[in-house]
Amino acid sequence: VQLQASGGGLVQPGGSLRLSCGASGSIFSIGAMRWYRQALGKQRELVAAISSGGSTNYADSVQGRFTISRDNAKKMAYLQMNGLKPEDTAVYYCNAVAKEFGSGRYDIYWGQGTEVTVSS
């Protein structure tokens, strides 16, 4: 299973970005999908998560500003980020729990990061 994240960039405070994460490979099933971020000098933190059924949860710091969604048919997850603040600057990573065909278990997969910079 490979995850490809995209959509990062430079945006002014108060602006918006939409991150995308696509899964590919010999995928039998995808469970939860999550977005993490890691700012320079800080630990990686969970930003948002969405279950296979669409239940969501968010870090307190992004609640009300960020929205996670997914398209199961396309094997995609998205993170709509509105009202961006300088403290949202980080490398954002997508993560998925997935099972490959022929595998008897779910494993955790990570995509490469996409950089988000919020600055005027």
Side-chain angles (χ1 to χ4, degrees):
V1 177
Q2 296 81 44
L3 299 179
Q4 180 73 39
S6 61
L10 173 64
V11 63
Q12 292 187 341
S16 299
L17 281 175
R18 188 192 194 210
L19 305 183
S20 299
C21 176
S24 62
S26 182
I27 300 170
F28 175 76
S29 176
I30 302 177
M33 299 185 79
R34 308 178 183 96
W35 287 97
Y36 286 77
R37 67 185 180 188
Q38 186 167 18
L40 193 63
K42 295 188 177 181
Q43 289 189 330
R44 191 172 296 189
E45 62 173 351
L46 177 64
V47 175
I50 186 167
S51 71
S52 57
S55 298
T56 59
N57 61 76
Y58 299 92
D60 289 344
S61 59
V62 307
Q63 182 77 46
R65 298 188 297 122
F66 290 10
T67 302
I68 189 171
S69 60
R70 64 190 287 168
D71 184 329
N72 290 332
K74 295 182 178 180
K75 299 183 178 65
M76 296 286 296
Y78 306 96
L79 186 67
Q80 178 66 45
M81 305 186 295
N82 299 328
L84 282 161
K85 305 175 181 180
E87 51 263 43
D88 295 317
T89 295
V91 178
Y92 284 71
Y93 299 89
C94 62
N95 162 297
V97 178
K99 183 192 290 189
E100 293 185 308
F101 281 104
S103 174
R105 68 181 193 187
Y106 282 87
D107 288 310
I108 296 174
Y109 298 90
W110 289 89
Q112 92 295 355
T114 185
E115 190 166 2
V116 172
T117 302
V118 185
S119 175
S120 55

